Amino acid sequence: MILHDLISYDVLRVIWWVLLGILLIGFAATDGFDMGTAALMPFIGRTDTERRVVINTVGPVWEGNQVWLILGGGAIFAAWPPLYAVSFSGFYLAMFVVLASFIVRPVAFKYRSKREGLVWRRNWDWALCLSGAVPALLFGVAVGNVIQGVPFHLTDDLHTVYEGAWYMKFIGLLDPFSLLAGVVSLSMLVMHGGAWVNLKAEGIVAARARAIGAKAALVAVAAYVLAGIWLAFIPGYAFSGDVPVDGPSNPLHFTVIRSATWLSAYADRPWIVIAPALGIVCALLTHLGLKAGREGSTMILSGVAVLGVISSVGLTMFPFIMPSSTALNSSLAVWNASSSHLTLFIMLVSAVIFVPIILAYTSWVYKVLWGKVTEDDITGNSHSVY
């Protein structure tokens, strides 16, 4: 027996679909509070010292949190190469904006406190704010576009072709439903950032973070519920006929039709309702926790809300991961867009070895760097902190 035959091809595909979801949730739950904290910073820090307190709540961990983005991007490249090719070629202008934001953020961290000038620091503060808010918004916009279907088709040699002018690859993303999804993402991460600052800071800074984070939680719930209602009017996707779940990865070998609505998934698999329920209930509990001033439990509830919202998208769309709005048979799904059987198996063995090491190291770093950031910490170590 060949070793990789120990796990069937269809099971490996589902495993890597789950692992990709875990990596994306890990990114949103860790780097997400970094982005939310950055977006909040100018509003919850009124003085220079208060703003430095906010920055230093994420200062020791933000670089490590971005490991999840690298892992997620690597997983897409290696496990789902057609998805990587289609998404990067279609969303490259939006991804350029996100990448520019991710470049600005470390520069702002490093350079903000290098000079005493008020204008210098204020400009970097707003650059840091935008570097958190813009990606948070655009990630949601991207999800909204994927749910509606992306305007691409595959040629006979599987070359990706997008319809429309090049500038529409950015402007065309900003339709009403996708902007609503962006509001869900941005408000959810602002809520998450508020929960983090509440956990790591104290005094007036934590109080302001609680106030804004609690309001953001309500906005996130309202926008998420509205998006769910809207979803009932967006046609979904389904395969027609027998689906070879262990066949070669060629979308053109499959026949795809539009279904009544994405919400039909909840009739077929009623158990998946747990995901949106977690998103809504835990966001509301986060709101109450922030209002009450609770710290650890509120941060956990906020993370579970993030998990619920993101997993609800994947579970609703399964098995589709990048449907096409202009050529249905070009739609990418779990069964037609993966790497080979052997590649997925080798990657799984690598993940089993290295992901626990990353988790252990990350946990150790958080343990070592645990504790609140105070104004005394900033004034007493002005030259060694951000």
Side-chain angles (χ1 to χ4, degrees), residues 63-86:
E63 291 174 294
N65 290 341
Q66 290 195 319
V67 166
W68 296 103
L69 176 63
I70 305 301
L71 288 174
I76 294 175
F77 176 77
W80 309 99
L83 174 62
Y84 184 90
V86 171

Side-chain angles (χ1 to χ4, degrees), residues 231-244:
L231 205 61
F233 301 94
I234 298 177
Y237 290 72
F239 287 113
S240 176
D242 295 332
V243 180

